[in-house]
Amino acid sequence: MTILDGKKVSNDIKDEIAEHVKAMVSKGGKVPHLAAILVGTDGASMTYVNAKVKACERIGFNSTLIDLPDYTTEEELLQKIDQLNTDNDIDGFIVQLPLPKHIDEQKVLMAVNPDKDVDGFHPTNVGKMALDLPTFLPATPYGIMELLERYQIETSGKNVVVLGRSHIVGRPMSILMSQKRKAGDATVTVVHSRSKNLKEITLEADIVVAAIGISEFLTGDMVKEDVVIIDVGITRVPDATKKTGYRLAGDVEFESVSKKASYITPVPGGVGPMTIAMLLKNTLLARERNLQ
Ligand code: BQF
């Protein structure tokens, strides 16, 4: 069993980007600039957005964090997005999810200029992705593809089962894995909370991408020998022995599943760090495409 070390691979990618930025700047190019909008004080959202700002600093990107209060109206947020859309100094930006409940996520994501949409959530970019046109790939699926590639895991003709159909992970993952690309070319099955005979399906999988959002959902009896496991889950589970009062749990019961797996991502330190690295990669791409 090999642990897919997302922490290490993400650091390799960040080093590569940092080198690239140095070369760009020495040729008189501009430093990539990522902005992030955070609305409210959701603990997880604050952690994620801070990790992104810190990663920017580490690799020599400029970053701007726009911190808006909980009571920000949808209209105020849309105004802020419009400012960033037209600010030539900002190459790309994200609106950190989840948003407070009084704000319509769909409306917000559609307001982002697709050329600056480094999360790849705008319908225009989702459409481009589905049609295999150049675009910003959503960071988590992009990170998983990159992890599979760098470990040279064969995906062509394999049975991939994606657990979950979210717009951010499950759905784009299923699209990318079925496409004819380096990691891809697979036979993909998407299962979700309404699927029947789930275990029958997962037992046929050569690769499982678990993104269902239920901690330790996938257990050892549900997978075959030598399966490749990608665990996207990160649920905060109360744990009194931790300083923070919680531990992070994946969607996979690591103890039982790792006994059968040929490769498996840990939580933390698997898919999560890859997500951050690919956001930076998208920001670099946005800079290179920005003619301002
Ligand atoms: C790690 C996210 C659900 C909803 C909105 C490193 C991250 C997580 C874990 C991280 C995530 C998850 C992010 C680890 C960004 C991934 O060491 O295992 C980094 O910061 N993520 C997000 O921005 O929004 C989310 C999950």
Side-chain angles (χ1 to χ4, degrees):
M1 186 269 292
T2 302
I3 298 270
L4 295 169
D5 191 345
K7 186 86 195 159
K8 184 195 175 294
V9 174
S10 70
N11 280 328
D12 291 347
I13 293 168
K14 284 190 241 174
D15 289 344
E16 290 162 20
I17 298 172
E19 280 298 311
H20 195 113
V21 171
K22 257 204 240 161
M24 277 167 67
V25 171
S26 73
K27 287 183 208 145
K30 274 204 228 168
V31 170
H33 189 167
L34 174 71
I37 305 177
L38 172 67
V39 186
T41 54
D42 177 81
S45 291
M46 283 165 61
T47 305
Y48 299 147
V49 91
N50 287 332
K52 293 168 189 180
V53 169
K54 218 181 89 199
C56 282
E57 281 165 13
R58 215 203 98 188
I59 62 164
F61 280 13
N62 286 330
S63 64
T64 299
L65 176 58
I66 295 149
D67 210 332
L68 302 177
D70 275 304
Y71 51 80
T72 303
T73 64
E74 190 176 279
E75 196 171 335
E76 285 165 338
L77 176 57
L78 292 171
Q79 260 172 30
K80 196 72 213 168
I81 289 171
D82 220 44
Q83 267 178 35
L84 295 177
N85 281 342
T86 52
D87 182 343
N88 289 333
D89 194 51
I90 303 290
D91 299 300
F93 69 96
I94 63 160
V95 181
Q96 182 61 51
L97 302 180
L99 285 166
K101 284 178 204 27
H102 65 277
I103 295 175
D104 181 349
E105 188 179 295
Q106 204 58 30
K107 218 167 166 180
V108 166
L109 299 181
M110 284 180 65
V112 176
N113 175 353
D115 293 330
K116 295 192 176 192
D117 172 35
V118 287
D119 261 340
F121 294 160
H122 190 282
T124 294
N125 289 328
V126 178
K128 286 183 176 178
M129 177 201 60
L131 295 170
D132 231 335
L133 296 168
T135 185
F136 302 113
L137 298 181
T140 300
Y142 191 10
I144 294 168
M145 302 301 277
E146 194 71 25
L147 199 57
L148 291 168
E149 261 181 49
R150 292 192 183 223
Y151 276 90
Q152 294 178 14
I153 292 169
E154 183 63 70
T155 58
S156 181
K158 301 289 183 189
N159 289 338
V160 174
V161 171
V162 178
L163 298 179
R165 55 182 162 184
S166 75
H167 294 163
I168 289 169
V169 183
R171 183 71 53 192
M173 196 65 222
S174 70
I175 293 169
L176 293 171
M177 286 303 283
S178 69
Q179 287 173 341
K180 203 169 174 67
R181 48 167 73 235
K182 237 192 260 165
D185 223 3
T187 305
V188 181
T189 306
V190 181
V191 302
H192 47 77
S193 51
R194 289 284 169 274
S195 298
K196 289 175 184 151
N197 309 323
L198 200 99
K199 185 172 165 180
E200 238 167 71
I201 297 165
T202 55
L203 275 170
E204 291 295 318
D206 301 305
I207 301 171
V208 179
V209 179
I212 202 163
I214 302 171
S215 68
E216 290 161 358
F217 177 82
L218 189 78
T219 48
D221 59 308
M222 296 169 76
V223 296
K224 69 178 178 187
E225 216 44 67
D226 292 328
V227 66
V228 175
I229 299 290
I230 306 294
D231 188 352
V232 186
I234 31 155
T235 311
R236 288 181 172 190
V237 176
D239 184 339
T241 70
K242 302 278 174 171
K243 260 189 300 193
T244 52
Y246 65 85
R247 68 181 171 89
L248 294 178
D251 288 354
V252 175
E253 189 184 70
F254 190 88
E255 164 82 7
S256 60
V257 174
S258 62
K259 289 194 177 111
K260 285 179 146 180
S262 55
Y263 295 90
I264 185 166
T265 61
V267 175
V271 173
M274 291 299 294
T275 299
I276 306 269
M278 302 327 277
L279 171 66
L280 301 172
K281 193 130 184 171
N282 279 341
T283 305
L284 177 63
L285 186 66
R287 173 62 251 157
E288 289 177 327
R289 286 209 207 134
N290 184 353
L291 302 176
Q292 295 293 337

